[in-house]
Amino acid sequence: MSSIEVLPSYGYVIAVAAATSFHCTVQGFAVAGFRYSSEGFTSEYLLKNYPEENEIHKKEFGTPLPVGGHPDNGLGRLSDKLPFVTWAKLQNAQRAHLNYCEALPGVLCNLLLAGLFYPVTAAAFGLTHMVGRQIYASAYRKSGANARGPGFGIAFLSNIALMGMSISGGLKLAGVFGSK
């Protein structure tokens, strides 16, 4: 009967998985930082451009429109008067973070599964993925979508490696080929 032994080196995998989740959260701070900056949804911007909506919000919720423009994600009613470059910067920051959020479940799954069979190598690919995500997000926020390629390549290839390691380990465990 096949079994999986969790090696002490799996601790590296757990640490990288936790660090990756934290890194994704920190990437979200870049969006919040922009929303609350002098370029974003300041109280002056909201009061100047949306006095009627501000009064309706006060009546309905008991407070003025919140600084930061919530719940507008940058594509809604409160962002239509942002200058184009300001709007584009907000969108770039949001897309960089949301792309990370979209990929995170698969990456963590591949990392945790690959780590059962190849813990040190999986942890190294997990760190590589995090570096790729940092390059991706920094380039996207600074220079737009056309600059994200190198970071995307690093993140994508490291995730493919983790996926292959997961499949290989699973098939070995099932006895399809090789031995554990």
Side-chain angles (χ1 to χ4, degrees), residues 57-113:
H57 194 278
K58 282 183 196 176
K59 183 178 177 186
E60 185 67 28
F61 300 107
T63 62
L65 288 168
V67 172
H70 301 286
D72 194 320
N73 66 356
L75 293 173
R77 185 175 193 147
L78 300 181
S79 59
D80 67 351
K81 292 183 176 72
L82 288 172
F84 177 78
V85 172
T86 301
W87 174 84
K89 287 179 180 180
L90 174 60
Q91 294 311 304
N92 289 343
Q94 287 196 139
R95 281 311 317 152
H97 181 245
L98 291 173
N99 288 345
Y100 201 156
C101 291
E102 291 161 1
L104 190 61
V107 169
L108 289 178
C109 179
N110 290 330
L111 172 61
L112 295 170
L113 292 174

